[in-house]
Amino acid sequence: MNLIIDVGNTRVKVAVFETNTIKEVFIFEKEKIISELKKIISKFKISGSIISSVATFSDLEQDKIVELLDPIFLDNKTKVPFSNLYHSPKTLGVDRIALASAAVKKYPKSNVLVIDAGTCITFDFINHKKEYLGGAISPGISMRYKALHNFTSRLPLLKPNEVESFIGNDTNTSMHSGVVNGICNEISGVIKQYEDEYQDLTVVLTGGDTYFLAKQLKSGIFAHPNFVLEGLHTILTYNIAND
């Protein structure tokens, strides 16, 4: 079995894969990573592992992780199953590298637009030649609500809510329309731009706000909430095969 570790700024998401199937997913606080990994390792027989992190580890934490698993630490030098044509490959986030890898594995010989709706909304495009061309980065849902509250004197801090009408009839519904309806139109507009340029486009929606946005968007979009984990597993198996 393979262990896939995705480390965010505050939380860690871990998946145990058997062949290409997720057997179990664990989510815990970053501060507990060593103790939680020990529990997982004691429960499963792990043969390979990879770690993707947007946060930094202390030297002690990294040494303990290496001692426990000796994983691949994903970075811009790691072998990946696609050609990276990004003009600044060293700045490409590890999460976006994972998403591109998942796209070429799940939808080979296809033009794929991956939309990751999390803290930020990222758009990543991989063409049918397995070439990563780039995409876009936009503020996520929570970030937009916080911006409305933080940069004004009277607007409240709201939580995401489904929009029943695009016409808000009070402050709260107007804010919900501005954020949620605005994001949905942004996503639909970006998809249309890619569809006009590339035929047979496959669109994938992933990230923490996957299901919330999927309800608001048109059909024809594939929802894959664990696409980053699947991409990391693809990178791991690709490196094992090409070692």
Side-chain angles (χ1 to χ4, degrees):
M1 295 185 180
N2 291 326
L3 194 64
I4 310 304
I5 308 165
D6 180 25
V7 183
N9 289 307
T10 58
R11 295 198 308 168
V12 180
K13 195 171 186 179
V14 176
V16 177
F17 275 77
E18 185 172 18
T19 311
N20 290 315
T21 302
I22 295 178
K23 299 296 291 183
E24 197 164 347
V25 174
F26 306 86
I27 300 175
F28 46 84
E29 299 302 309
K30 180 179 176 291
E31 290 73 19
K32 299 179 180 179
I33 186 168
I34 302 302
S35 60
E36 293 297 326
L37 286 179
K38 287 180 178 179
K39 292 177 186 177
I40 296 169
I41 293 169
S42 67
K43 185 177 179 181
F44 299 95
K45 186 176 181 181
I46 304 300
S47 57
S49 59
I50 186 169
I51 184 166
S52 165
S53 179
V54 298
T56 57
F57 291 110
S58 67
D59 291 340
L60 180 60
E61 283 178 320
Q62 184 154 327
D63 288 344
K64 287 185 177 180
I65 291 171
V66 170
E67 184 180 341
L68 287 171
L69 292 165
D70 193 21
I72 293 173
F73 285 89
L74 178 61
D75 60 22
N76 62 83
K77 297 178 182 178
T78 306
K79 297 176 185 176
V80 292
F82 62 89
S83 298
N84 189 351
L85 302 186
Y86 207 53
H87 286 180
S88 55
K90 291 182 179 180
T91 69
L92 184 62
V94 289
D95 52 343
R96 300 177 75 186
I97 293 172
L99 292 172
S101 299
V104 300
K105 171 69 174 180
K106 189 82 174 178
Y107 304 102
K109 299 180 181 179
S110 299
N111 294 316
V112 185
L113 175 64
V114 183
I115 304 166
D116 186 1
T119 302
C120 291
I121 298 173
T122 59
F123 299 85
D124 293 290
F125 180 71
I126 308 91
N127 67 20
H128 66 283
K129 299 178 183 179
K130 296 185 178 181
E131 295 172 332
Y132 177 83
L133 301 186
I137 303 173
S138 182
I141 294 179
S142 294
M143 190 182 295
R144 297 186 195 209
Y145 278 112
K146 290 176 182 177
L148 286 171
H149 174 68
N150 292 337
F151 293 103
T152 63
S153 59
R154 296 190 178 184
L155 292 180
L157 178 60
L158 302 180
K159 293 183 178 180
N161 193 42
E162 292 183 18
V163 175
E164 296 181 359
S165 171
F166 66 91
I167 302 175
N169 56 19
D170 58 24
T171 298
N172 285 14
T173 56
S174 294
M175 290 174 66
H176 288 311
S177 178
V179 173
V180 178
N181 193 49
I183 283 178
C184 290
N185 278 284
E186 175 185 325
I187 290 174
S188 297
V190 171
I191 292 172
K192 180 66 165 56
Q193 286 181 314
Y194 278 91
E195 287 176 336
D196 289 344
E197 188 75 19
Y198 299 94
Q199 296 181 346
D200 302 320
L201 182 71
T202 298
V203 181
V204 176
L205 180 64
T206 190
D209 291 320
T210 298
Y211 292 124
F212 177 79
L213 287 177
K215 295 178 183 178
Q216 311 287 315
L217 294 164
K218 68 178 184 178
S219 59
I221 298 175
F222 295 97
H224 289 293
N226 290 319
F227 216 51
V228 167
L229 296 175
E230 293 176 15
L232 291 172
H233 186 254
T234 297
I235 295 171
L236 174 61
T237 55
Y238 182 80
N239 277 265
I240 291 173
N242 292 277
D243 193 4

